[in-house]
Amino acid sequence: MGGEATSSGGDNGSSDLSSKTKSKKPKYSRFTQQELPACKPVLTPAYVIAIFTIIGIIFIPVGLLSLFASENVVEIVDRYDEDCIPRDHNKNMIGYIQSSSTNKTCTRSFKVPKHMKSPVYVYYQLDNFYQNHRRYVKSRSDKQLRSKSNERVTTNCDPEGTANGSPIVPCGLIAWSLFNDTYGISVKDKAVEISKKNIAWESDKKQKFGSDVYPKNFQSGGLIGGATLDPSIPLSEQEDLIVWMRTAALPNFRKLYGKIETDLNANDQVTVTIQNNYNTYSFGGKKKLVLSTTSWIGGKNDFLGIAYLTVGGICLFLAITFILMYVIKPRPLGDPSYLSWNRNPAGHSN
């Protein structure tokens, strides 16, 4: 009897030990039990009114300053893709732009509306060009662009990966479709230089494009996509290419072509000689030349100022509305009589 009791007691002890060992209960901590100190603000009417008032007071002046800065930006936009097609080729624009025998020189002129302080930025704008297409964006080799030792890494570049069994440098559809319209600007019949220096991001030149990588077999196939590259200049110094390779997120975009380092005075007659080479006609795209100054918020863009004014105005309106409600129809803070179950204790609708 005594032996059986001892055996039973030993079994109970082992079962208790195994239950403690197999328990999945997490170890107690203030973090797992959500008992850490926390900020639990009580949104009193005064607190809410103060927040909306402060936001309105800050946002409205910022919006006015942004709009004022945008209004001071002088911008000239000239669409030329249709006007630069001769009348006898209006019915066959694609044939005209693809032919190597047609004269693609075009002259445009316009007046400067306001004084444009240097530097004056020259952009080309393309509309309806989807640089964000998945297959287009992937058609490049970043390893090849960075180092000469990786020039044969063209896995993602098809159909512009190799030419006659040799790798194309730079490979891919992005480089192949490099913009190749050119602009020559003169003011009062005097040529003005368009500087190409420092138009690309410094980080791109140093980190994404190697100084030992030179163009090779580029645009050597049967179908030419865009501009050619000088094979004696490394990719890190070919800034037109670097600007183009930073693909745009939207189908309508601008890219920096160059900078004019002299002021343009009001009413100056500007003449632009354009080589209209780039084919946007096959996909219904548009080409525009843009001359623009900048401000502390960048180029001309009213959206930021309007957004700040809208948010600030709404916040001030809400602040005034809450003040009127608080004055006309005040209510005690934390009054339980406003709770639904106290309004209707029987649980039945009135």
Side-chain angles (χ1 to χ4, degrees):
M1 295 289 290
E4 291 178 0
T6 304
S7 175
S8 175
D11 292 343
N12 289 338
S14 61
S15 63
D16 291 343
L17 182 61
S18 62
S19 65
K20 290 181 180 179
T21 305
K22 295 179 181 179
S23 175
K24 295 182 179 180
K25 182 179 179 180
K27 185 179 179 181
Y28 172 81
S29 72
R30 298 182 68 189
F31 176 76
T32 58
Q33 298 301 318
Q34 298 184 16
E35 295 177 356
L36 293 174
C39 179
K40 300 176 181 179
V42 178
L43 296 179
T44 63
Y47 188 67
V48 173
I49 291 169
I51 290 175
F52 280 128
T53 303
I54 291 171
I55 293 175
I57 291 174
I58 293 175
F59 274 44
I60 289 177
V62 172
L64 292 173
L65 288 173
S66 300
L67 278 179
F68 181 74
S70 179
E71 287 298 318
N72 286 337
V73 173
V74 183
E75 184 178 89
I76 302 171
V77 181
D78 180 49
R79 180 183 174 185
Y80 64 88
D81 56 291
E82 291 183 342
D83 294 337
C84 283
I85 297 291
R87 291 183 179 180
D88 54 340
H89 289 88
N90 279 339
K91 294 183 179 180
N92 188 17
M93 295 183 180
I94 298 176
Y96 166 81
I97 202 69
Q98 290 180 342
S99 174
S100 59
S101 61
T102 54
N103 181 16
K104 297 181 177 63
T105 303
C106 173
T107 303
R108 309 282 292 170
S109 61
F110 44 80
K111 281 188 177 182
V112 178
K114 295 180 181 178
H115 178 77
M116 302 179 74
K117 188 177 180 181
S118 64
V120 179
Y121 294 91
V122 181
Y123 300 90
Y124 55 88
Q125 178 174 326
L126 297 179
D127 294 351
N128 200 36
F129 190 112
Y130 287 82
Q131 270 199 321
N132 57 355
H133 191 283
R134 182 177 62 86
R135 292 185 65 185
Y136 184 87
V137 171
K138 290 177 65 177
S139 186
R140 62 186 292 165
S141 174
D142 289 320
K143 289 184 178 180
Q144 183 199 66
L145 296 173
R146 281 194 295 265
S147 174
K148 182 180 179 181
S149 60
N150 294 319
E151 72 172 20
R152 292 191 173 274
V153 181
T154 61
T155 307
N156 298 324
C157 293
D158 290 338
E160 292 298 321
T162 59
N164 300 320
S166 298
I168 298 173
V169 183
C171 69
L173 291 175
I174 304 177
W176 175 78
S177 60
L178 175 62
F179 187 78
N180 62 343
D181 282 7
T182 60
Y183 309 122
I185 296 179
S186 60
V187 179
K188 296 180 179 178
D189 298 326
K190 183 180 179 180
V192 175
E193 181 186 359
I194 302 177
S195 172
K196 298 275 189 169
K197 188 176 181 181
N198 296 327
I199 63 173
W201 291 17
E202 196 67 25
S203 59
D204 286 355
K205 292 190 289 184
K206 291 182 177 180
Q207 300 174 15
K208 293 187 176 182
F209 294 82
S211 58
D212 62 340
V213 183
Y214 291 82
K216 182 179 178 182
N217 298 321
F218 189 67
Q219 303 289 20
S220 60
L223 184 61
I224 305 300
T228 58
L229 298 174
D230 189 338
S232 64
I233 300 177
L235 296 187
S236 60
E237 297 179 15
Q238 308 234 20
E239 298 199 37
D240 281 329
L241 173 70
I242 297 173
V243 170
W244 179 258
M245 293 291 285
R246 181 168 282 277
T247 53
L250 299 175
N252 301 339
F253 59 86
R254 293 177 181 178
K255 290 186 181 290
L256 187 59
Y257 180 84
K259 294 181 288 185
I260 299 174
E261 302 291 354
T262 57
D263 291 2
L264 299 180
N265 298 317
N267 298 319
D268 277 353
Q269 188 72 25
V270 177
T271 303
V272 184
T273 303
I274 302 172
Q275 289 296 324
N276 183 27
N277 300 314
Y278 202 68
N279 183 9
T280 57
Y281 307 98
S282 58
F283 56 87
K286 300 175 183 176
K287 295 188 289 187
K288 299 175 183 177
L289 171 66
V290 181
L291 272 64
S292 177
T293 58
T294 57
S295 67
W296 61 273
I297 59 168
K300 193 174 186 66
N301 186 357
D302 294 337
F303 174 78
L304 188 63
I306 294 172
Y308 271 107
L309 286 175
T310 301
V311 174
I314 291 173
C315 289
L316 276 185
F317 173 77
L318 291 174
I320 294 170
T321 302
F322 290 152
I323 290 172
L324 294 176
M325 290 176 62
Y326 187 65
V327 171
I328 296 172
K329 194 177 179 180
R331 128 180 155 179
L333 183 65
D335 188 351
S337 64
Y338 286 92
L339 298 173
S340 59
W341 51 84
N342 289 333
R343 286 185 177 185
N344 189 13
H348 301 288
S349 58
N350 295 329

